[in-house]
Amino acid sequence: SIMNKIERIKQSAHPIIGFNIRRLREQKRLRNTDMVAKLQLEGIPISTSTLSKIEQGAYNPTTAQLIALHKNWDAITETFFIPAEFIH
C-alpha cells in the first residue's frame, strides 16, 4: 500500500548529503556506532553499515532517516544539501 512506501533521497555521483551527514556527525564528535544507537532508540531502522554507506554516497537515505538526523543535530534542513565547496 502507499502508506508502507519508503521514500529515499537519491544521492548522485557527488554525494552532498552523505558528505554533510558525516561532517555533522564528526562535528558533534559522535562515532558511527553512537549515532546509529541514538537513531535505533528512536525507532529508526539503521545499521552502522547503512550509515557508513549513506556517508559514502553508496546508499540513499530514507526521508525518516534524514528527519531523525536533522532532529538529533538540531541542524537546519538545508545543511544536508550544501555543496562541500560552500562550507567554511
Side-chain angles (χ1 to χ4, degrees):
S1 81
I2 196 140
M3 295 302 287
N4 293 330
K5 184 177 178 194
I6 296 175
E7 293 289 331
R8 295 198 180 276
I9 307 298
K10 186 164 173 36
Q11 298 195 78
S12 64
H14 306 286
I16 294 168
I17 296 170
F19 167 83
N20 284 315
I21 288 172
R22 181 179 196 134
R23 179 181 59 81
L24 289 166
R25 180 177 59 75
E26 290 175 347
Q27 277 180 358
K28 298 285 186 184
R29 293 180 169 31
L30 287 170
R31 295 176 309 182
N32 181 307
T33 52
D34 298 329
M35 193 69 249
V36 166
K38 286 181 85 167
L39 293 173
Q40 287 176 344
L41 284 173
E42 293 179 22
I44 303 297
I46 191 167
S47 66
T48 54
S49 172
T50 298
L51 181 57
S52 181
K53 288 176 184 175
I54 289 170
E55 290 180 349
Q56 295 167 18
Y59 188 83
N60 296 323
T62 66
T63 52
Q65 290 165 339
L66 275 185
I67 291 167
L69 289 166
H70 166 267
K71 194 171 78 174
N72 268 287
W73 290 328
D74 197 29
I76 58 170
T77 307
E78 292 80 12
T79 305
F80 292 123
F81 303 98
I82 299 172
E85 59 269 20
F86 294 108
I87 296 172
H88 305 291

Coordinates of all heavy atoms in Angstrom, one line a residue:
S1 N 0.8 -1.2 0.0 CA 0.0 0.0 0.0 C 0.9 1.2 0.0 O 2.0 1.2 0.3 CB -0.9 0.0 1.2 OG -0.3 0.5 2.3
I2 N 0.3 2.3 -0.3 CA 1.0 3.6 -0.4 C 1.6 4.0 1.0 O 2.6 4.7 1.1 CB 0.2 4.7 -1.1 CG1 1.1 5.8 -1.5 CG2 -0.8 5.2 -0.2 CD1 0.8 6.4 -2.8
M3 N 0.9 3.7 2.0 CA 1.3 4.1 3.4 C 2.6 3.4 3.8 O 3.3 3.8 4.6 CB 0.2 3.8 4.4 CG -1.1 4.6 4.2 SD -0.8 6.3 4.3 CE -0.5 6.5 6.0
N4 N 2.9 2.2 3.2 CA 4.1 1.5 3.5 C 5.3 1.8 2.6 O 6.4 1.3 2.8 CB 3.8 0.0 3.4 CG 2.9 -0.5 4.5 OD1 2.8 0.1 5.6 ND2 2.1 -1.5 4.2
K5 N 5.1 2.7 1.7 CA 6.2 3.1 0.8 C 7.2 3.9 1.5 O 6.9 4.8 2.3 CB 5.6 3.9 -0.4 CG 6.6 4.3 -1.4 CD 6.0 5.0 -2.6 CE 7.1 5.4 -3.6 NZ 6.6 6.3 -4.5
I6 N 8.5 3.6 1.3 CA 9.6 4.3 1.9 C 10.2 5.2 0.9 O 10.6 4.8 -0.2 CB 10.7 3.3 2.4 CG1 10.1 2.4 3.6 CG2 11.9 4.1 2.9 CD1 11.0 1.4 4.1
E7 N 10.2 6.5 1.2 CA 10.8 7.5 0.3 C 12.3 7.6 0.6 O 12.7 7.6 1.7 CB 10.1 8.9 0.5 CG 8.7 8.9 0.2 CD 8.5 8.9 -1.3 OE1 9.3 9.3 -2.1 OE2 7.4 8.4 -1.8
R8 N 13.1 7.6 -0.5 CA 14.5 7.7 -0.4 C 15.0 9.0 -1.1 O 14.4 9.4 -2.1 CB 15.2 6.5 -1.0 CG 14.9 5.3 -0.3 CD 15.9 4.2 -0.6 NE 15.6 3.0 0.1 CZ 16.0 2.7 1.4 NH1 16.7 3.6 2.0 NH2 15.7 1.6 2.0
I9 N 16.0 9.6 -0.5 CA 16.6 10.8 -1.1 C 17.8 10.3 -2.0 O 18.7 9.8 -1.4 CB 17.1 11.8 0.0 CG1 16.0 12.1 1.0 CG2 17.7 13.0 -0.6 CD1 14.8 12.8 0.4
K10 N 17.7 10.5 -3.3 CA 18.7 10.0 -4.2 C 19.9 10.8 -4.1 O 19.9 12.1 -4.3 CB 18.1 10.0 -5.6 CG 19.1 9.3 -6.6 CD 18.3 9.0 -7.9 CE 19.2 8.5 -9.0 NZ 20.3 7.7 -8.7
Q11 N 21.1 10.2 -3.9 CA 22.4 10.8 -4.0 C 22.9 10.6 -5.4 O 22.8 9.5 -5.9 CB 23.3 10.3 -2.9 CG 22.8 10.5 -1.5 CD 23.9 10.3 -0.5 OE1 24.7 11.2 -0.3 NE2 23.9 9.2 0.2
S12 N 23.6 11.6 -5.9 CA 24.2 11.5 -7.3 C 25.6 11.0 -7.2 O 26.0 10.6 -6.1 CB 24.1 12.8 -8.0 OG 24.9 13.8 -7.3
A13 N 26.4 11.2 -8.2 CA 27.8 10.9 -8.2 C 28.6 11.7 -7.2 O 29.7 11.4 -6.8 CB 28.3 11.1 -9.6
H14 N 28.0 12.9 -6.8 CA 28.6 13.7 -5.8 C 27.7 13.8 -4.6 O 26.8 14.6 -4.5 CB 28.8 15.1 -6.4 CG 29.6 15.2 -7.7 ND1 30.9 14.9 -7.7 CD2 29.2 15.3 -8.9 CE1 31.3 15.0 -9.0 NE2 30.2 15.2 -9.7
P15 N 28.0 12.8 -3.7 CA 27.0 12.7 -2.5 C 27.1 13.8 -1.5 O 27.7 13.7 -0.5 CB 27.5 11.3 -1.9 CG 28.9 11.2 -2.3 CD 29.1 11.9 -3.6
I16 N 26.5 14.9 -1.8 CA 26.5 16.1 -0.9 C 25.8 15.7 0.4 O 26.3 16.1 1.5 CB 25.7 17.2 -1.6 CG1 26.5 17.7 -2.8 CG2 25.5 18.4 -0.6 CD1 25.7 18.7 -3.7
I17 N 24.7 15.0 0.4 CA 24.0 14.6 1.6 C 24.9 13.8 2.5 O 25.1 14.0 3.7 CB 22.7 13.9 1.3 CG1 21.8 14.9 0.6 CG2 22.0 13.4 2.6 CD1 20.5 14.3 0.0
G18 N 25.5 12.7 1.9 CA 26.4 11.8 2.7 C 27.6 12.6 3.3 O 27.9 12.4 4.5
F19 N 28.2 13.5 2.5 CA 29.3 14.3 3.0 C 28.9 15.1 4.2 O 29.6 15.2 5.2 CB 29.8 15.2 1.8 CG 30.7 16.2 2.3 CD1 32.1 16.0 2.5 CD2 30.3 17.5 2.6 CE1 33.0 16.9 2.9 CE2 31.2 18.5 3.0 CZ 32.5 18.2 3.2
N20 N 27.7 15.7 4.1 CA 27.3 16.6 5.2 C 26.9 15.8 6.4 O 27.1 16.3 7.5 CB 26.2 17.5 4.7 CG 26.7 18.6 3.8 OD1 27.7 19.3 4.2 ND2 26.1 18.9 2.7
I21 N 26.3 14.6 6.2 CA 25.9 13.8 7.4 C 27.2 13.4 8.1 O 27.3 13.6 9.4 CB 25.2 12.6 6.9 CG1 23.7 13.0 6.5 CG2 25.1 11.5 8.1 CD1 22.9 11.9 5.9
R22 N 28.2 13.0 7.4 CA 29.5 12.7 8.1 C 30.1 13.9 8.7 O 30.6 13.8 9.9 CB 30.5 12.1 7.1 CG 31.8 11.7 7.7 CD 32.7 11.1 6.7 NE 33.8 10.4 7.5 CZ 34.2 9.2 7.2 NH1 33.7 8.5 6.2 NH2 35.1 8.7 8.0
R23 N 30.1 15.0 8.1 CA 30.7 16.3 8.6 C 30.0 16.7 9.9 O 30.6 17.0 10.9 CB 30.6 17.4 7.6 CG 31.1 18.7 8.0 CD 30.9 19.8 6.9 NE 29.5 20.0 6.6 CZ 28.7 20.7 7.2 NH1 29.0 21.3 8.3 NH2 27.4 20.8 6.8
L24 N 28.7 16.6 9.9 CA 27.9 17.0 11.1 C 28.1 16.0 12.2 O 28.3 16.4 13.4 CB 26.4 17.1 10.8 CG 26.0 18.3 9.9 CD1 24.6 18.1 9.4 CD2 26.1 19.6 10.7
R25 N 28.2 14.7 11.9 CA 28.4 13.7 12.9 C 29.8 13.9 13.5 O 30.0 13.9 14.8 CB 28.3 12.3 12.3 CG 28.6 11.2 13.3 CD 28.4 9.8 12.7 NE 29.3 9.5 11.6 CZ 30.6 9.3 11.7 NH1 31.2 9.2 12.9 NH2 31.3 9.0 10.6
E26 N 30.8 14.2 12.7 CA 32.2 14.4 13.2 C 32.2 15.7 14.0 O 33.0 15.8 15.0 CB 33.2 14.4 12.1 CG 33.3 13.0 11.6 CD 34.3 12.9 10.3 OE1 34.6 13.9 9.8 OE2 34.6 11.7 10.0
Q27 N 31.5 16.7 13.6 CA 31.5 18.0 14.4 C 30.9 17.8 15.8 O 31.4 18.4 16.8 CB 30.6 19.0 13.7 CG 31.3 19.8 12.6 CD 30.4 20.8 12.0 OE1 29.3 21.0 12.3 NE2 31.0 21.6 11.0
K28 N 30.0 16.9 15.9 CA 29.3 16.5 17.2 C 30.2 15.5 18.0 O 29.8 15.1 19.0 CB 27.9 16.0 17.0 CG 27.0 17.0 16.3 CD 26.5 18.0 17.3 CE 25.5 18.9 16.7 NZ 25.1 20.0 17.5
R29 N 31.3 15.1 17.4 CA 32.2 14.1 17.9 C 31.5 12.8 18.3 O 31.7 12.2 19.3 CB 32.9 14.7 19.2 CG 33.9 15.8 18.9 CD 34.5 16.3 20.1 NE 35.6 17.2 20.0 CZ 35.9 18.2 19.1 NH1 35.2 18.3 18.1 NH2 37.0 19.0 19.3
L30 N 30.7 12.4 17.3 CA 29.9 11.1 17.5 C 30.5 10.1 16.6 O 30.8 10.3 15.4 CB 28.5 11.3 17.1 CG 27.6 12.1 18.1 CD1 26.2 12.4 17.4 CD2 27.4 11.3 19.4
R31 N 30.7 8.9 17.2 CA 31.2 7.8 16.4 C 29.9 7.2 15.6 O 28.8 7.5 16.0 CB 31.7 6.6 17.2 CG 33.0 7.0 18.0 CD 33.4 5.9 18.9 NE 32.3 5.5 19.7 CZ 32.3 4.6 20.7 NH1 33.5 4.0 20.9 NH2 31.3 4.3 21.4
N32 N 30.2 6.5 14.5 CA 29.2 5.9 13.7 C 28.2 5.1 14.6 O 27.0 5.2 14.5 CB 29.8 5.1 12.6 CG 28.9 4.4 11.7 OD1 28.0 3.7 12.1 ND2 29.1 4.5 10.4
T33 N 28.8 4.3 15.5 CA 28.0 3.4 16.4 C 27.1 4.2 17.3 O 26.0 3.8 17.6 CB 28.9 2.4 17.2 OG1 29.9 3.2 17.8 CG2 29.6 1.4 16.2
D34 N 27.6 5.3 17.8 CA 26.8 6.2 18.7 C 25.6 6.8 18.0 O 24.5 6.8 18.6 CB 27.7 7.3 19.3 CG 28.9 6.9 20.1 OD1 28.8 5.8 20.7 OD2 29.9 7.6 20.1
M35 N 25.8 7.2 16.8 CA 24.7 7.8 16.0 C 23.7 6.8 15.7 O 22.5 7.1 15.8 CB 25.3 8.5 14.7 CG 24.4 9.4 14.0 SD 24.0 10.9 14.9 CE 22.4 10.7 15.4
V36 N 24.1 5.6 15.3 CA 23.2 4.5 15.0 C 22.4 4.1 16.2 O 21.2 4.0 16.1 CB 24.0 3.3 14.4 CG1 23.1 2.1 14.4 CG2 24.4 3.7 13.0
A37 N 23.0 4.1 17.4 CA 22.3 3.7 18.6 C 21.3 4.7 18.9 O 20.1 4.3 19.3 CB 23.3 3.6 19.8
K38 N 21.6 6.0 18.8 CA 20.6 7.1 19.0 C 19.4 6.9 18.1 O 18.2 7.0 18.5 CB 21.2 8.4 18.8 CG 22.1 8.9 20.0 CD 22.7 10.2 19.7 CE 21.7 11.2 20.2 NZ 22.3 12.6 20.3
L39 N 19.7 6.7 16.8 CA 18.6 6.6 15.8 C 17.7 5.3 16.1 O 16.5 5.4 16.0 CB 19.2 6.5 14.4 CG 19.8 7.8 13.9 CD1 20.5 7.6 12.6 CD2 18.8 8.9 13.8
Q40 N 18.4 4.2 16.4 CA 17.6 3.0 16.7 C 16.7 3.1 17.9 O 15.6 2.6 18.0 CB 18.6 1.8 16.9 CG 19.3 1.3 15.6 CD 20.3 0.3 15.9 OE1 20.8 0.0 17.0 NE2 20.7 -0.4 14.8
L41 N 17.2 3.9 19.0 CA 16.4 4.2 20.1 C 15.1 4.9 19.8 O 14.1 4.9 20.5 CB 17.2 4.9 21.2 CG 18.2 4.1 22.0 CD1 19.0 4.9 22.9 CD2 17.4 3.0 22.8
E42 N 15.2 5.7 18.7 CA 14.0 6.5 18.2 C 13.2 5.7 17.2 O 12.2 6.2 16.6 CB 14.5 7.8 17.5 CG 15.2 8.7 18.5 CD 15.7 10.0 17.8 OE1 15.2 10.3 16.7 OE2 16.6 10.6 18.4
G43 N 13.5 4.4 17.0 CA 12.7 3.6 16.2 C 13.1 3.7 14.7 O 12.3 3.2 13.8
I44 N 14.2 4.3 14.4 CA 14.7 4.4 13.0 C 15.5 3.2 12.7 O 16.6 2.9 13.3 CB 15.5 5.7 12.8 CG1 14.7 6.9 13.2 CG2 16.0 5.8 11.4 CD1 13.5 7.2 12.4
P45 N 15.1 2.3 11.7 CA 15.8 1.1 11.4 C 17.1 1.5 10.5 O 17.0 2.0 9.4 CB 14.8 0.3 10.5 CG 13.9 1.3 10.0 CD 13.8 2.5 10.9
I46 N 18.2 1.4 11.2 CA 19.5 1.7 10.5 C 20.6 0.9 11.2 O 20.5 0.6 12.4 CB 19.8 3.2 10.6 CG1 21.0 3.6 9.7 CG2 20.0 3.7 12.0 CD1 21.1 5.1 9.4
S47 N 21.6 0.5 10.4 CA 22.8 -0.2 11.0 C 24.0 0.7 10.8 O 24.0 1.7 10.0 CB 23.0 -1.5 10.2 OG 23.3 -1.3 8.9
T48 N 25.1 0.3 11.4 CA 26.4 1.1 11.2 C 26.8 1.0 9.8 O 27.3 1.9 9.2 CB 27.5 0.6 12.1 OG1 27.6 -0.8 12.0 CG2 27.2 0.9 13.6
S49 N 26.6 -0.2 9.2 CA 26.9 -0.4 7.7 C 26.1 0.5 6.9 O 26.7 1.2 5.9 CB 26.7 -1.8 7.4 OG 26.9 -2.0 6.0
T50 N 24.8 0.7 7.1 CA 24.0 1.5 6.3 C 24.4 3.0 6.5 O 24.5 3.7 5.5 CB 22.5 1.4 6.7 OG1 22.1 0.0 6.5 CG2 21.6 2.3 5.9
L51 N 24.7 3.5 7.7 CA 25.1 4.8 7.9 C 26.4 5.1 7.2 O 26.5 6.1 6.5 CB 25.2 5.2 9.4 CG 25.7 6.6 9.7 CD1 24.7 7.6 9.1 CD2 25.8 6.8 11.2
S52 N 27.3 4.2 7.2 CA 28.6 4.3 6.5 C 28.4 4.4 5.0 O 29.0 5.3 4.4 CB 29.5 3.1 6.9 OG 30.7 3.3 6.2
K53 N 27.5 3.6 4.5 CA 27.2 3.7 3.1 C 26.5 5.0 2.7 O 26.8 5.5 1.6 CB 26.3 2.5 2.7 CG 27.1 1.1 2.6 CD 26.2 0.0 2.3 CE 27.0 -1.3 2.4 NZ 26.1 -2.5 2.2
I54 N 25.6 5.5 3.5 CA 25.0 6.8 3.3 C 26.0 7.9 3.2 O 26.1 8.7 2.3 CB 23.9 7.1 4.4 CG1 22.7 6.2 4.2 CG2 23.5 8.6 4.3 CD1 21.7 6.2 5.4
E55 N 26.9 7.9 4.2 CA 28.0 8.9 4.2 C 28.9 8.8 3.0 O 29.4 9.8 2.5 CB 28.8 8.7 5.5 CG 28.1 9.1 6.7 CD 28.9 9.0 8.0 OE1 30.0 8.3 8.0 OE2 28.4 9.4 9.1
Q56 N 29.1 7.6 2.5 CA 29.9 7.4 1.3 C 29.2 7.7 0.0 O 29.8 7.8 -1.1 CB 30.5 6.0 1.2 CG 31.4 5.7 2.4 CD 31.7 4.2 2.5 OE1 31.5 3.4 1.5 NE2 32.2 3.8 3.6
G57 N 27.9 7.9 0.1 CA 27.1 8.1 -1.1 C 26.7 6.8 -1.8 O 26.2 6.8 -2.9
A58 N 27.0 5.7 -1.2 CA 26.7 4.4 -1.8 C 25.3 3.9 -1.5 O 24.8 2.9 -2.0 CB 27.7 3.3 -1.4
Y59 N 24.6 4.6 -0.7 CA 23.2 4.2 -0.3 C 22.4 5.5 -0.1 O 22.9 6.5 0.4 CB 23.3 3.4 1.1 CG 22.0 2.8 1.5 CD1 21.6 1.6 1.0 CD2 21.2 3.4 2.4 CE1 20.4 1.0 1.4 CE2 20.0 2.8 2.8 CZ 19.6 1.6 2.3 OH 18.5 1.0 2.7
N60 N 21.2 5.4 -0.6 CA 20.3 6.6 -0.5 C 19.5 6.5 0.9 O 18.8 5.6 1.1 CB 19.3 6.6 -1.6 CG 20.0 6.8 -3.0 OD1 21.0 7.5 -3.1 ND2 19.5 6.1 -4.0
P61 N 19.6 7.6 1.7 CA 18.9 7.6 3.0 C 17.4 7.8 2.8 O 17.0 8.4 1.8 CB 19.5 8.9 3.7 CG 19.9 9.8 2.5 CD 20.4 8.9 1.4
T62 N 16.7 7.2 3.7 CA 15.2 7.4 3.7 C 14.9 8.8 4.2 O 15.7 9.4 5.0 CB 14.5 6.4 4.5 OG1 14.8 6.6 5.9 CG2 14.9 4.9 4.1
T63 N 13.7 9.3 3.9 CA 13.3 10.6 4.5 C 13.2 10.5 6.0 O 13.6 11.4 6.7 CB 12.0 11.0 3.9 OG1 11.0 10.0 4.0 CG2 12.1 11.4 2.4
A64 N 12.8 9.3 6.5 CA 12.7 9.2 8.0 C 14.1 9.3 8.6 O 14.3 9.9 9.7 CB 12.1 7.8 8.3
Q65 N 15.1 8.7 8.0 CA 16.5 8.8 8.5 C 17.0 10.2 8.5 O 17.6 10.7 9.5 CB 17.4 7.9 7.7 CG 17.2 6.4 7.9 CD 17.8 5.5 6.8 OE1 18.2 6.0 5.7 NE2 18.0 4.3 7.2
L66 N 16.7 11.0 7.4 CA 17.1 12.4 7.4 C 16.4 13.2 8.4 O 17.1 14.1 9.0 CB 16.9 12.9 6.0 CG 17.9 12.7 4.9 CD1 17.6 13.5 3.6 CD2 19.3 13.1 5.4
I67 N 15.2 13.0 8.6 CA 14.4 13.8 9.6 C 14.9 13.5 11.0 O 15.1 14.4 11.8 CB 12.9 13.5 9.5 CG1 12.3 14.0 8.2 CG2 12.1 14.0 10.7 CD1 10.9 13.5 7.8
A68 N 15.2 12.2 11.3 CA 15.8 11.9 12.6 C 17.1 12.5 12.8 O 17.4 13.0 13.9 CB 15.8 10.4 12.7
L69 N 18.0 12.5 11.8 CA 19.3 13.1 11.9 C 19.2 14.6 12.1 O 19.8 15.2 13.0 CB 20.1 12.8 10.6 CG 20.6 11.4 10.5 CD1 21.1 11.1 9.1 CD2 21.7 11.1 11.5
H70 N 18.3 15.2 11.4 CA 18.0 16.6 11.5 C 17.6 17.0 12.9 O 18.1 17.9 13.5 CB 16.9 17.0 10.5 CG 16.3 18.4 10.7 ND1 15.2 18.5 11.4 CD2 16.7 19.6 10.2 CE1 14.9 19.8 11.4 NE2 15.8 20.5 10.7
K71 N 16.7 16.2 13.5 CA 16.2 16.4 14.8 C 17.3 16.2 15.9 O 17.5 17.0 16.8 CB 15.1 15.5 15.1 CG 14.2 15.8 16.3 CD 13.0 15.0 16.4 CE 13.4 13.6 16.9 NZ 12.3 12.7 17.1
N72 N 18.1 15.2 15.7 CA 19.2 14.9 16.6 C 20.3 16.0 16.7 O 20.9 16.2 17.7 CB 19.9 13.5 16.3 CG 19.2 12.4 17.0 OD1 19.4 12.3 18.2 ND2 18.4 11.6 16.4
W73 N 20.6 16.5 15.5 CA 21.6 17.5 15.4 C 21.2 18.9 15.6 O 22.0 19.9 15.6 CB 22.4 17.4 14.1 CG 23.2 16.1 14.1 CD1 23.8 15.5 15.2 CD2 23.5 15.3 13.0 NE1 24.4 14.3 14.7 CE2 24.3 14.2 13.4 CE3 23.2 15.4 11.6 CZ2 24.8 13.3 12.5 CZ3 23.7 14.5 10.7 CH2 24.5 13.4 11.2
D74 N 19.9 19.1 15.6 CA 19.3 20.5 15.7 C 19.9 21.3 14.6 O 20.3 22.5 14.8 CB 19.6 21.1 17.1 CG 18.7 22.3 17.4 OD1 17.6 22.3 16.8 OD2 19.2 23.2 18.1
A75 N 20.0 20.7 13.4 CA 20.5 21.4 12.2 C 19.4 21.9 11.4 O 18.3 21.3 11.3 CB 21.4 20.5 11.5
I76 N 19.6 23.0 10.6 CA 18.6 23.4 9.6 C 18.6 22.4 8.5 O 19.7 21.8 8.1 CB 18.8 24.8 9.2 CG1 20.2 25.0 8.5 CG2 18.6 25.8 10.3 CD1 20.4 26.3 7.8
T77 N 17.5 22.1 7.9 CA 17.4 21.1 6.9 C 18.3 21.3 5.7 O 18.9 20.4 5.1 CB 15.9 21.0 6.4 OG1 15.1 20.8 7.5 CG2 15.8 19.8 5.4
E78 N 18.5 22.6 5.4 CA 19.3 23.0 4.2 C 20.8 22.5 4.4 O 21.5 22.3 3.4 CB 19.3 24.5 4.0 CG 18.0 25.0 3.5 CD 17.0 25.2 4.6 OE1 17.3 25.1 5.8 OE2 15.8 25.4 4.3
T79 N 21.2 22.3 5.6 CA 22.6 21.9 5.9 C 22.9 20.6 5.2 O 24.1 20.5 4.8 CB 22.8 21.7 7.5 OG1 22.4 22.9 8.1 CG2 24.2 21.4 7.8
F80 N 22.0 19.7 5.0 CA 22.3 18.5 4.3 C 22.5 18.7 2.8 O 23.1 17.8 2.2 CB 21.1 17.5 4.5 CG 20.9 17.0 5.9 CD1 19.7 17.2 6.5 CD2 21.9 16.4 6.6 CE1 19.5 16.8 7.8 CE2 21.8 16.0 7.9 CZ 20.5 16.1 8.5
F81 N 22.1 19.8 2.3 CA 22.2 20.0 0.8 C 23.2 21.0 0.4 O 23.2 21.4 -0.8 CB 20.8 20.3 0.3 CG 19.8 19.3 0.7 CD1 18.9 19.5 1.8 CD2 19.6 18.2 -0.1 CE1 18.0 18.6 2.1 CE2 18.7 17.2 0.3 CZ 17.9 17.4 1.4
I82 N 24.1 21.5 1.3 CA 25.1 22.5 0.9 C 26.3 21.8 0.3 O 26.9 20.9 0.9 CB 25.6 23.2 2.2 CG1 24.4 24.0 2.8 CG2 26.7 24.2 1.8 CD1 24.7 24.6 4.2
P83 N 26.7 22.1 -0.9 CA 27.9 21.5 -1.5 C 29.1 21.8 -0.7 O 29.3 22.9 -0.1 CB 28.0 22.2 -2.9 CG 26.6 22.7 -3.2 CD 26.0 23.1 -1.8
A84 N 30.1 20.9 -0.7 CA 31.3 21.0 0.1 C 32.1 22.3 -0.1 O 32.6 22.8 0.8 CB 32.2 19.8 -0.2
E85 N 32.1 22.7 -1.4 CA 32.9 23.9 -1.7 C 32.3 25.2 -1.0 O 33.0 26.2 -1.0 CB 33.0 24.1 -3.2 CG 31.7 24.3 -4.0 CD 31.2 23.0 -4.5 OE1 31.6 21.9 -4.0 OE2 30.4 23.0 -5.4
F86 N 31.1 25.2 -0.5 CA 30.5 26.3 0.2 C 30.6 26.3 1.7 O 30.1 27.1 2.4 CB 29.0 26.5 -0.2 CG 28.9 26.8 -1.7 CD1 28.4 25.9 -2.6 CD2 29.2 28.1 -2.2 CE1 28.2 26.2 -3.9 CE2 29.1 28.4 -3.5 CZ 28.6 27.4 -4.4
I87 N 31.2 25.2 2.2 CA 31.4 25.0 3.6 C 32.7 25.6 4.1 O 33.7 25.2 3.5 CB 31.2 23.6 4.0 CG1 29.8 23.1 3.7 CG2 31.5 23.3 5.5 CD1 29.5 21.7 3.8
H88 N 32.7 26.4 5.1 CA 34.0 27.0 5.5 C 34.5 26.2 6.7 O 33.9 25.8 7.6 CB 33.7 28.4 6.0 CG 33.1 29.2 4.9 ND1 33.7 29.6 3.7 CD2 31.8 29.7 4.7 CE1 32.9 30.3 3.0 NE2 31.7 30.4 3.6

